[in-house]
Amino acid sequence: MFIWIIATICAFFIKGLCGFANTLVFTSILSFGITNINISPVELILGYPTNMIVAWKERKSIKWSVCIPLSILVIAGCIPGILFLKNTDTHIIKILFGFIIILIGCEMLQREFKEKKQKQSKLLLLSIGILSGVLCGLYGIGALLGAYLGRVTEESGAFKANICIVFLVENTVRIVLYSIYGIITVSALKSAALLAPCMLLGLFLGIKSSKRLDEKLVKKLVVVMLIISGVALLINNL
């Protein structure tokens, strides 16, 4: 149980700090000795209220014109995703997405170090938006979603507000699907209940830390987490 506690505190500290990547951290710490079928439902149950908390805290920064279209893309990705995942080897697709995330993350990081911001390409934004919806919907991976929102939001508060709204939609769909397919079990619910105080502690520490850090530094941390997400996606599927 100790490793679960460590994973929970670390994962939701990052959630409070950056607004995403909790799934990456949680899964990375636990995947060495625990199967993903036991990890995912617990993380999903723990993550659901954190998205509510962060979205409510940053509610003044929510842009419905941004998060509603992305939420629709996520739902569209979830529905065909079940059949796709059952009948197709997804390792190659995940490797491809890993490369895309790394390239976009590096380009975003390079932008952050420039004093003069370049104009965003609408075609590129649309492409990233479509890919992020499919990737998040199919695999529950929010890295490209983060890449998209990192481009269309200026402040870390706006980034966290909008990504958490989209995650709430995605989480709701996945909870329903996981329940239908028996992935969410009584054991998973008990584990999530026991780990809930650790989740709240990690989230609280992450939110407090983000307030003390410079806004530009937090933005750079978000981009670095994107790049790490891409690298982890590659390593896990090579």
Side-chain angles (χ1 to χ4, degrees):
M1 193 64 182
F2 178 73
I3 190 68
W4 283 87
I5 293 171
I6 297 298
T8 302
I9 294 173
C10 291
F12 290 100
F13 173 82
I14 294 298
K15 177 73 172 181
L17 186 65
C18 298
F20 79 114
N22 47 295
T23 303
L24 167 70
V25 175
F26 195 79
T27 304
S28 298
I29 294 173
L30 294 173
S31 60
F32 291 102
I34 302 164
T35 58
N36 194 63
I37 195 70
N38 293 320
I39 298 171
S40 293
V42 176
E43 196 281 330
L44 178 60
I45 296 164
L46 287 172
Y48 195 82
T50 66
N51 287 312
M52 289 183 176
I53 292 167
V54 176
W56 176 257
K57 182 180 176 297
E58 305 291 349
R59 61 191 179 279
K60 292 181 180 178
S61 300
I62 295 173
K63 294 182 179 179
W64 296 108
S65 60
V66 172
C67 53
I68 289 176
L70 274 181
S71 297
I72 293 170
L73 286 171
V74 168
I75 294 170
C78 277
I79 297 169
I82 296 175
L83 291 174
F84 185 77
L85 290 173
K86 280 187 173 182
N87 300 294
T88 309
D89 181 3
T90 59
H91 289 296
I92 294 175
I93 297 172
K94 287 187 178 183
I95 289 169
L96 177 61
F97 273 122
F99 276 117
I100 293 171
I101 292 165
I102 293 169
L103 289 174
I104 292 172
C106 289
E107 192 270 346
M108 288 174 67
L109 192 61
Q110 179 256 342
R111 277 173 177 266
E112 287 302 313
F113 283 101
K114 282 188 176 181
E115 292 185 8
K116 187 178 180 180
K117 298 295 182 182
Q118 298 174 353
K119 189 178 179 180
Q120 302 284 3
S121 165
K122 290 184 178 179
L123 180 61
L124 182 60
L125 283 175
L126 178 62
S127 301
I128 296 172
I130 293 170
L131 288 173
S132 67
V134 173
L135 183 60
C136 189
L138 291 176
Y139 310 120
I141 298 168
L144 268 178
L145 193 62
Y148 178 85
L149 287 168
R151 286 170 170 269
V152 297
T153 55
E154 292 296 326
E155 300 177 352
S156 63
F159 175 88
K160 287 190 276 190
N162 289 283
I163 200 168
C164 285
I165 288 291
V166 180
F167 279 147
L168 268 175
V169 174
E170 185 267 341
N171 284 179
T172 302
V173 173
R174 271 207 296 153
I175 285 173
V176 172
L177 295 176
Y178 277 21
S179 299
I180 291 171
Y181 283 89
I183 297 173
I184 293 180
T185 62
V186 173
S187 177
L189 291 170
K190 286 180 179 178
S191 296
L194 289 172
L195 292 168
C198 302
M199 173 270 287
L200 291 172
L201 174 63
L203 186 70
F204 174 78
L205 292 174
I207 291 172
K208 286 295 181 182
S209 297
S210 68
K211 288 181 179 179
R212 295 179 179 274
L213 294 174
D214 179 71
E215 182 77 25
K216 291 182 179 179
L217 178 59
V218 174
K219 192 82 181 285
K220 289 183 177 71
L221 285 173
V222 168
V223 180
V224 169
M225 288 306 300
L226 282 173
I227 296 170
I228 293 172
S229 297
V231 172
L233 202 58
L234 277 177
I235 293 172
N236 289 335
N237 290 280
L238 284 174

